Amino acid sequence: WRAAVGAPALAVGVAAGLVALALPESAAPARDWHSEPSARPASPDATPRLLTVAATHPHLLLLGGAYGLVKLVRYVALLWLPLYLHEEQALSPAAAGFLSTA
């Protein structure tokens, strides 16, 4: 099992190193985003307005609903499937647990 964790971590590390070597160095100095006036909210009540706009945006509502349904399916498969396989399909607890994660 250690190879299953170590090999992908090593591959990601090698890929990150190659990307870091391939990127050109930036000649522009880093910008200080906190000192720019455009980075600050226009007024103290700008954040609640932004949250209201985000909460009523149709694409964000669809994305949130889809994410909720994906989580529901994942938890059903993770938590209830072994019980169903054990009680209804008469599998042993070990077999039901293995089969539900395979």
Side-chain angles (χ1 to χ4, degrees):
W1 69 269
R2 291 182 185 180
V5 173
L10 181 65
V12 168
V14 168
L18 291 173
V19 167
L21 290 174
L23 288 176
E25 293 203 20
S26 176
R31 295 174 65 179
D32 184 14
W33 294 102
H34 296 288
S35 65
E36 292 185 14
S38 62
R40 293 186 214 126
S43 64
D45 63 340
T47 302
R49 275 188 288 151
L50 179 64
L51 292 175
T52 303
V53 169
T56 58
H57 193 278
H59 292 127
L60 289 178
L61 292 174
L62 285 173
L63 187 62
Y67 180 75
L69 291 175
V70 165
K71 293 296 278 184
L72 175 69
V73 170
R74 286 184 63 206
Y75 281 118
V76 165
L78 180 67
L79 301 174
W80 291 343
L81 185 59
L83 180 68
Y84 170 77
L85 291 173
H86 173 65
E87 291 183 355
E88 299 297 326
Q89 302 299 321
L91 291 176
S92 70
F98 177 74
L99 205 67
S100 67
T101 59

